[in-house]
Amino acid sequence: MTTPRHSVQTSAVPESSGDGYTRRAGRAFVFALYGALRAIKLYPIENAAVQRALDELAALADEVARAQGELEVRGSGEFVFVNGTRLRLDLDNYASFSHILALLRASGVGVVIVRPGAVRRDWLVLLSLLQAPGKEPPPDRFRVLVAKLEEAGIAPFALGEPAEVDDDADQERTKERAKRTYAQSVAVTKDLMTSVRMGRTPNVKKIKRVIQGIVDQILNEEASLIGLTTIRDYDEYTFTHSVNVCIFAVALGKRLGFGKVQLYDLGFAALFHDVGKSRVPADVLNKSGGLTDEEWQQIASHPWMGVLALFQVRGQQELPLRAMVVAHEHHMKNDLTGYPRPIRPRSMSIFSKIVAVADGFDAATSRRAYQTTPLDPAAVMAEMRDNPRRGMDPVVVKAFINLTGIYPVGTLVVLDTFELGIVHAVNPIAEMLSRPIVRVISDDRGNLLQPGDLADLAELGPNGTYRRTIIKTENPERYGIRVGDYFI
């Protein structure tokens, strides 16, 4: 008998009770489960690929269940626990983790216990039911799922609903970590820009630690950090803009499948993308009226001045070369009609395309000296997607929409219940991009609530229709609302 590809090898004296074994076995199980789900979705049940994937999954699950008595898989927030041990979230397992968690949430399942003896047919029935389309709210789907498993005589599985645990403390700790990371990033960016302007050498090691903090936060719980990009401090625009672009770029790189080292390089490039502006006179950068030709040339020179600034940083051998490329290319546009104009034909790097999208979005949705009224985030997203003159790579824009949703985080929306809401997070269900998670911040008479309650716009009411639906977006300044206050 051949050993399944994901089998966890044990010695004569198996260390099956340790966390190390559980983590290795749990990761292998998650990969096998994800593979089986994809195979069932892509091919007919009788296809050899489906049969192999199910056999591999059954063998691995049975191995762990027999070694540790049972196999308990629990989803909690953005994490997967196997037999009480939290699995490490990395880029190589992000897609599998997020897909499995989304399926469990949509089905109202909080925990799956697998007893020894589950065979191919058992797994086929369970996974097919989990992936079956349905519009019922999760609690109803859970009851239907349990009933169908009993009806099919599937005994090795025990399903449980999400634990009724108050996660407020965990959420508050996550939020505090995100705020610390964001504040440190702005402070370091301010020091970076000031150092370059004054001809001093910035602290590259401190910058690296900040980038690592952003990458780690994005990999483990991106929503809190992305929410803080809505602060967009007018007085500190130059610094918060660079940090926001870094956060968006790293989150977008994660969606595009970048590895952790690539994310560090991308974060560096994004944080440094506007370093050339430190060489532009402050009165030109902050001018509220129209620019003269000479002033415009000064602004348009910041990409190549950024490259020169990076070359002059002491210890610049520690800087990724891509940071210089991005500083030079991020305004070129996909068709090279932007600035600076290239001397010969070239293709923009994928890092530059990512930073261009993140930069364009944050700049358009921020209040600046020459843009006192920021644009509506949903309108900016539509413009980036539909107007080719913006020169953004359509694949990267599509990935950005997948990251932020059709209504990006921070968008003020009017609901059909006459309530106001602020988009809090993209809906984890891929088919529900137009139905994000919102924080309802007013009642139906317009009385503002603080902090308000979170509502899933994909939630159905007793009559089978959606409880809330977005009618339109609105300008928060019209209502005297500071969106950032709801994320800090």
Side-chain angles (χ1 to χ4, degrees), residues 143-176:
R143 287 189 286 272
V144 171
L145 180 59
V146 170
K148 287 188 175 180
L149 286 175
E150 290 178 356
E151 185 181 328
I154 306 299
F157 304 120
L159 306 185
E161 294 181 273
E164 293 293 332
V165 177
D166 185 3
D167 288 333
D168 286 349
D170 285 341
Q171 290 175 2
E172 196 58 37
R173 282 193 293 269
T174 300
K175 201 172 177 181
E176 287 302 317

Side-chain angles (χ1 to χ4, degrees), residues 137-436:
D140 292 345
R141 288 199 69 181
F142 175 80
R143 287 189 286 272
V144 171
L145 180 59
V146 170
K148 287 188 175 180
L149 286 175
E150 290 178 356
E151 185 181 328
I154 306 299
F157 304 120
L159 306 185
E161 294 181 273
E164 293 293 332
V165 177
D166 185 3
D167 288 333
D168 286 349
D170 285 341
Q171 290 175 2
E172 196 58 37
R173 282 193 293 269
T174 300
K175 201 172 177 181
E176 287 302 317
R177 281 196 300 270
K179 285 195 282 188
R180 281 197 304 271
T181 299
Y182 191 86
Q184 290 166 358
S185 302
V186 172
V188 167
T189 304
K190 190 172 185 177
D191 181 62
L192 160 69
M193 293 292 196
T194 304
S195 296
V196 172
R197 186 182 295 276
M198 302 297 292
R200 300 197 304 263
T201 300
N203 188 327
V204 176
K205 288 186 178 179
K206 188 182 288 186
I207 295 166
K208 279 189 172 183
R209 285 196 295 271
V210 160
I211 304 256
Q212 288 171 352
I214 289 175
V215 171
D216 291 345
Q217 184 87 24
I218 290 292
L219 286 175
N220 286 296
E221 207 281 317
E222 68 183 28
S224 296
L225 205 52
I226 288 178
L228 293 177
T229 63
T230 61
I231 295 172
R232 299 192 173 97
D233 192 317
Y234 174 78
D235 295 324
E236 302 281 346
Y237 170 74
T238 301
F239 316 119
T240 57
H241 171 66
S242 292
V243 174
N244 290 350
V245 171
C246 180
I247 291 169
F248 282 131
V250 170
L252 186 49
K254 183 179 80 169
R255 292 296 171 107
L256 292 170
F258 284 18
K260 202 167 187 178
V261 174
Q262 289 176 304
L263 289 181
Y264 287 145
D265 286 356
L266 177 58
F268 242 105
L271 197 68
F272 279 87
H273 81 285
D274 265 347
V275 70
K277 285 187 176 179
S278 61
R279 301 290 181 87
V280 177
D283 58 339
V284 175
L285 277 178
N286 300 321
K287 187 174 179 180
S288 57
L291 298 173
T292 65
D293 289 345
E294 183 182 353
E295 289 168 338
W296 166 245
Q297 287 303 321
Q298 289 179 296
I299 293 284
S301 68
H302 82 266
W304 62 263
M305 285 200 294
V307 178
L308 292 180
L310 291 175
F311 266 118
Q312 292 167 8
V313 171
R314 188 180 305 156
Q316 53 89 7
Q317 66 271 15
E318 297 184 48
L319 299 175
L321 176 62
R322 290 191 179 104
M324 299 179 187
V325 174
V326 168
H328 188 244
E329 290 184 340
H330 70 280
H331 282 298
M332 277 189 176
K333 295 189 178 181
N334 209 33
D335 58 3
L336 305 181
T337 60
Y339 62 89
R341 290 295 178 95
I343 298 172
R344 59 184 63 88
R346 63 189 287 159
S347 296
M348 285 177 64
S349 75
I350 183 61
F351 276 37
S352 299
K353 292 176 179 180
I354 290 171
V355 171
V357 169
D359 176 44
F361 176 78
D362 188 73
T365 54
S366 298
R367 188 162 60 93
R368 296 174 282 171
Y370 53 88
Q371 180 178 281
T372 54
T373 303
L375 302 179
D376 173 62
V380 172
M381 192 68 72
E383 175 79 3
M384 289 167 56
R385 180 192 63 204
D386 300 333
N387 188 349
R389 292 181 60 191
R390 296 299 173 195
M392 296 180 179
D393 186 282
V395 174
V396 177
V397 172
K398 185 176 181 180
F400 194 55
I401 293 172
N402 183 261
L403 168 70
T404 64
I406 296 171
Y407 301 100
V409 171
T411 304
L412 180 68
V413 295
V414 180
L415 306 174
D416 60 354
T417 54
F418 302 107
E419 299 164 308
L420 292 175
I422 292 175
V423 176
H424 178 80
V426 65
N427 201 304
I429 303 172
E431 295 77 17
M432 293 292 177
L433 280 179
S434 63
R435 293 190 167 276

Side-chain angles (χ1 to χ4, degrees), residues 37-38 40-41 99 103 126-133 141:
L37 285 164
R38 283 181 58 82
I40 291 170
K41 196 166 186 176
H99 182 73
L103 274 181
L126 174 64
L127 302 190
S128 298
L129 289 173
L130 281 174
Q131 294 195 115
R141 288 199 69 181

